[in-house]
Structures are given as C-alpha cells and as structure tokens.
Amino acid sequence: MQKKKRCDAIVRNLIFVLFVVIFSTTGCAQNRDRTMATVIEFDGIEFEMPAIAEPVIPDNSVNIKDFGAVEGGQVLNSKAFADAIDAVSQKGGGRVVVPAGIWLTGPIILKSNLELYTEPGALVIFSTDKDLYPVIETSFEGLDTWRCISPIYGKNVENIAFTGHGVWDGSGDAWRFVKRGKLTANQWKELVASGGVTNAKGDEWYPSEQFKKAHETANMNVPTGLSTREEYEAVRDFLRPVMVSIQNSKRVLFDGPTFQNSPAWCIHPLMVEDLIVRNLTVRNPWYSQNGDGIDIESCKNVLVENCNFDVGDDAICIKSGKDEDGRRRGVPCENLVIRNNIVYHGHGGVTVGSEMSGGVRNMHVSGCTFIGTDVGLRFKSTRGRGGVVEDIFISDIRMLNIPTIAISFNLYYGGMSVSELMASGKIEDFTRKEPVTEETPQFKNISIKNVVVNGALQAVVFQGLPEMPLENVTITDMLLVAGNGFSIIDARGVTIENIELKTNNQTAVEFFNSRDVKISGLSYPFQHTNTITVNGEKSGNILLLPAGNKNLKSFTSVGSEVPGDAVQFE
C-alpha cells in the first residue's frame, strides 16, 4: 500500500511539473525568453519571403517605480521612464516594466536592446502639454518636413519590443482638428464650448488660431512655404505627431498591448527591417482626422498578424514616400505578410498608398475580416507620385456591411475618403491622357481570390490611368453581394473567373477603355441586354465566355465607339 501511495505521489508531481511547463511555454508567451535569437519562417507564400528575426533583449529588468514613478495620472513621470531606460541601457539593454496604474509622461525616447513591458492594468497617458514635444526634422505624409517629436520616438535603433497587456494613450484629442459632420449636434456643441476656434463656415474646429492658419495653407497636413526650424516653430500647434515613430531601425516587435488615441497616425515604422506586429489592439475615435492604425513605410520583411483595428482613417496602410521626396529616398516597402487581422471602422481595411513613390512589392494578405470598414481592400495613388506597386497576393478575405466599395483601385486619389468623395459629387475626367514620366504611378501583377462580401455599395472598382492602365489583375472565386457589381476603367490584362455576383443594379459589369480581358464562370441572374456594358474607343480583346448554358452576347451592350472586333463571345 505504501509503495502504491509513493507511486501515486510521484505521478501527481510529474503531472504538476508537466502542467507548469506547458503553461509557461504556451499560456505565458509574453514572458518568453528574448535573450536568444529567434526567427520566423514562412511557408505557402507566393514569393520568396525571407525569415524575420525577432529582437534580442538582454536579461536585465527594472520597474519604473524604482525610479520614482508616481501613479495616478497627476504627476509627470518623464524622468522616471528615461532613468529606467538609461539603467538597462548601461547594462547593454533589457526590460522596463510598467506596472498596473495610470502613468502620465512626456515623450519616451527609445534606445537599442529595449523591451517596454506593460503589465495588465497599466495605462500610459502622454501629456497634453505641447511644450514637452520639441519640433524635429522627420517625415510625415511621405514628405521630408518638421513635426513635434512623437510621444514614442526611436531612430537608428535595434532590438525594440513593446509587449504586455497594457494601454498606451496618445491624448490625441488635444492635437486634432475635427469636422462637424463627424459629431452629433451635442458633441459639436460641447467641443466648441471647450475652447479653440472654428472656420468661417463653422464646420471645422481647431485647437487654436495658430493651428487654423497653418491648416488653411497646408498640403495634406504638411505646411507649405516653410524652410527653417524657426518658421515651423511658429506653427508648432499644427505639427501634430504620429504616436509611435521608429525610423531607420532593425528588429522591432509589437506584441500584445493596446495603442490608442493618437494625435495623427498611431504607429509609423519608417525604413524598418524585420518588423513584427501581432496581437495588438489599435483604436482611434472614428472622427479622428488622419487617425490611421499602422502606416508601414519603406519597410522590409514585415509580419502583421492577429491584430484588431478600429480607427478613424486607414487601418493597415502600406506606404513608401510621396512624390519627389519619396522617389529621392527610393526605398520600397517589400516582403510583407499580413494575415488573420480584423478591421472594424476605418477608411480602408488593408490599404496601399497613396504615398507609394518608392514602390511596393511582394505583399501577401490572407485571412482578414473587415466589418463596417469604409473600403475593404483599398489601393490608391495619383499622377505625380510615380512608383510601382507589383506582386500583390490577396486571399481568403471576409467583408460585412462595407459602406462604399469592397475592392477599390483608384489612381485619381485626391485626399478624400471614398465616402467624402461620393458625397462631394466630384467627377474626374477619365479620358485625358498625359505623358508617361517618372511621376506616373503603376499598379500591376495583382491576384485576389477567395473573397466573400456580404453587403457593400459596390463590389469592385478598377480605375487606372489612360496613360498607365492597371495591369495583370486576376480576380477569382468570390461571392459578392453588393448594390453594384464591377466597374473596370483603363485596365489591361484582367481575368474574372468563378464569381457569384448578386446586385441591385441590372448592369453587373461595366468596362471602359479596357483590353485583354477574360470573363468566365460568372454566376448572375442574366435578364437584361446591358448586364455587361463595354464602352471606350480604346477597348479591345475582351473575351466573354458562357455563363452556364447562356451565351453572354444577348446580355452585353457595346458602345458605338468600340472597335468592331473588340468583344468576342464563345
């Protein structure tokens, strides 16, 4: 009997040890050993995706309370954060722990080999005192400019990690202007009564007169006609920063926390190699101007997975500089895997552009869900940008209740969201052809498959340029339920295959000045002679294969200006 008891005790101890080991290696991923080099490798990606190295953080740890930090949100803890970072940096790096509590601070300057770990219940709030944020040379909206330093700022650093389960709050309401149409009547009344100024029309609110004057002459939030630091200092209230700015750096990890309420964009990695973003929650008020989630600019080897976004502008945005500044930098955004993310409100779920002058290539997007997002997949640029976007692979996407366009390519982007553009009634001249130069943007070699859209104003819009059509785009295996179907303008090399389309409009697919097009396997309740329309004298080599046993010729309207042999049926 005693022997059996000893055996039972040994078994129980072994089970307990095994439980501890399993829990420590799976349930506590946030506490994994970061002192050893770890790489993430990829299988099943359509291009040769390099392995991504995670940051290596030395085994040193300090707590901001040990450096005099006072919780409660009333005492400024900038020095405590700085001293804690210095303490681990002097030992070669390490972890700075932010415990549960409310912690008020000014800007945090990153150093190499640093992990900022926020415990559950930790809330870091950045001060609204703008004097704490000096004006520095930086990049914003793809342009070289001056802005107030970001609440979290790092340049030329390596091995940076943001981990834990706390919240980083950028106090963005103190910085942003607000459009009246984005608030209720009571909210607008309270905002105006709080101070600040409004424009002459009374439909925009600004934090100050200085902000208002700079805004009136700015180009996409960047002041024009200024060259010296002193001139920028004179409008510093307008120079709202991105919340997290990490530039020209290597091995950066975001894993676990919430980032919210940013003055402008929330997270802005610029020229970062080996960037990992996972398990984040990124939040901004839906009325927040330029309240993007993450803007990945000119970065190389990137993973974004298992994140939730609910923001005021584009959610996951891929960029590479704007116009001449972007072309001079000449650094593309390349080798990106974006998978298994959820986007709620936002102007775009996954967006490329409009600042893409350095190019974007090798991007895989899969397993993402967009719920109530203005546009699901949003590609945008305009004349003057230049740059090439190529080798984009998108699959297994789900969309629900998209207010405008589920899949949008727009090379006439002018700064408005699609909702705002539609409300304005502005219509571009889509027939004017301009010379092809280094300023001409190009989008090509794009594959989109296995997409379900349950509710949208329009399913798909392809809008190329007369001088540079969208090129080599394949759309396959989709269920699209939308008010309107396909609009394809100035595109070349388009394949539409195995699409089940349900719309409220008798026209399902319309082409204008597009060529080298093939449609097969289109499921649609064909009833009208204009179910498919083809217009534009540049149209050509359009092949429309039968839908089941229906020859599409009876359901296709061809404009008189279209060449006689441009459309073929089988």
Side-chain angles (χ1 to χ4, degrees), residues 42 104 121 129 199 224 252 335 367 371 385 396 404 418 435 498:
F42 298 89
L104 178 68
D129 181 358
N199 63 356
T224 57
V252 175
N335 304 335
I371 303 173
R385 292 284 190 271
D396 304 309
T404 62
V418 177
N498 296 334

Side-chain angles (χ1 to χ4, degrees), residues 62-71 77 80-81 84 96-100 103 119:
V62 298
N63 190 306
I64 60 169
K65 291 179 71 174
D66 296 334
F67 297 86
V70 179
E71 65 175 303
N77 293 296
F81 274 97
V96 172
V97 176
V98 182
W103 309 97
E119 292 184 344

Side-chain angles (χ1 to χ4, degrees), residues 6 16 37 102 198 245 274 342 374 377 379 426 448 462 485 495 523 528 565:
R6 285 197 300 272
F16 175 77
I102 300 176
T198 60
S245 174
D274 288 356
I342 299 175
D374 280 2
L377 299 168
F379 293 75
K426 293 182 178 179
I448 308 174
F462 289 171
T495 298
S523 174
H528 303 281
D565 61 349

Side-chain angles (χ1 to χ4, degrees), residues 186-200:
N186 284 338
Q187 288 172 332
W188 179 256
K189 183 178 179 180
E190 291 177 3
L191 179 64
V192 172
S194 70
V197 296
T198 60
N199 63 356

Side-chain angles (χ1 to χ4, degrees), residues 14-30:
L14 287 173
I15 292 174
F16 175 77
V17 171
L18 181 62
F19 173 79
V20 170
V21 170
I22 293 173
F23 181 79
S24 64
T25 57
T26 60
C28 296
Q30 291 290 338

Side-chain angles (χ1 to χ4, degrees), residues 149-223:
I149 197 169
S150 292
I152 301 173
Y153 179 77
K155 187 174 183 179
N156 301 324
V157 292
E158 297 183 354
N159 299 316
I160 299 295
F162 297 86
T163 62
H165 301 282
V167 178
W168 299 87
D169 188 297
S171 298
D173 284 330
W175 294 85
R176 296 186 296 260
F177 80 101
V178 180
K179 293 181 179 179
R180 182 172 186 170
K182 294 187 175 184
L183 300 181
T184 67
N186 284 338
Q187 288 172 332
W188 179 256
K189 183 178 179 180
E190 291 177 3
L191 179 64
V192 172
S194 70
V197 296
T198 60
N199 63 356
K201 293 182 179 180
D203 61 358
E204 290 185 353
W205 175 90
Y206 310 100
S208 67
E209 184 67 28
Q210 183 186 91
F211 190 115
K212 174 176 173 289
K213 289 181 178 179
H215 176 78
E216 290 170 348
T217 60
N219 174 21
M220 297 285 287
N221 304 296
V222 177

Side-chain angles (χ1 to χ4, degrees), residues 255-499:
D255 189 356
T258 294
F259 292 84
Q260 66 178 31
N261 198 18
S262 55
W265 301 344
C266 201
I267 302 172
H268 182 206
L270 172 62
M271 295 187 291
V272 172
E273 183 174 345
D274 288 356
L275 170 67
I276 302 168
V277 182
R278 64 189 178 210
N279 307 317
L280 289 193
T281 297
V282 181
R283 303 172 60 248
N284 265 329
W286 85 275
Y287 59 81
S288 57
Q289 293 298 130
N290 317 108
D292 294 22
I294 184 167
D295 291 83
I296 299 167
E297 183 172 354
S298 295
C299 293
K300 182 177 182 179
N301 305 340
V302 176
L303 173 64
V304 181
E305 65 177 353
N306 302 324
C307 297
N308 292 333
F309 295 85
D310 194 346
V311 295
D313 207 308
D314 291 323
I316 303 169
C317 196
I318 310 304
K319 301 177 181 289
S320 62
K322 182 177 179 180
D323 299 346
E324 184 179 354
D325 286 358
R327 294 192 298 272
R328 182 173 57 249
R329 181 200 300 160
V331 179
C333 214
E334 61 183 333
N335 304 335
L336 305 108
V337 173
I338 301 168
R339 61 192 183 190
N340 304 329
N341 302 287
I342 299 175
V343 178
Y344 297 95
H345 184 271
H347 289 176
V350 173
T351 298
V352 174
S354 70
E355 302 94 321
M356 38 62 68
S357 301
V360 177
R361 60 185 179 229
N362 295 345
M363 183 172 87
H364 167 101
V365 181
S366 66
C368 293
T369 301
F370 309 134
I371 303 173
T373 315
D374 280 2
V375 179
L377 299 168
R378 188 183 191 195
F379 293 75
K380 54 183 178 175
S381 188
T382 191
R383 289 171 173 138
R385 292 284 190 271
V388 180
V389 174
E390 60 186 334
D391 300 329
I392 309 297
F393 304 91
I394 301 172
S395 62
D396 304 309
I397 305 297
R398 299 159 295 273
M399 306 190 205
L400 176 66
N401 297 334
I402 304 300
T404 62
I405 304 167
I407 303 171
S408 173
F409 287 74
N410 177 16
L411 269 64
Y412 286 86
Y413 177 71
M416 292 184 177
S417 70
V418 177
S419 299
E420 291 171 325
L421 184 63
M422 289 180 169
S424 72
K426 293 182 178 179
I427 300 176
E428 295 283 353
D429 179 3
F430 298 134
T431 61
R432 189 182 80 253
K433 187 174 182 178
E434 296 191 358
V436 175
T437 70
E438 66 173 3
E439 298 183 356
T440 307
Q442 184 178 15
F443 285 65
K444 64 180 182 178
N445 304 338
I446 296 160
S447 170
I448 308 174
K449 64 182 181 180
N450 299 332
V451 175
V452 175
V453 176
N454 189 357
L457 180 65
Q458 179 143 7
V460 177
V461 173
F462 289 171
Q463 174 69 75
L465 296 172
E467 66 272 19
M468 186 62 72
L470 299 176
E471 187 173 0
N472 297 337
V473 182
T474 300
I475 291 187
T476 61
D477 302 311
M478 297 187 182
L479 170 59
L480 307 174
V481 180
N484 299 282
F486 287 73
S487 293
I488 300 175
I489 305 167
D490 287 315
R492 181 173 60 223
V494 177
T495 298
I496 299 173
E497 187 175 275
N498 296 334
I499 305 297

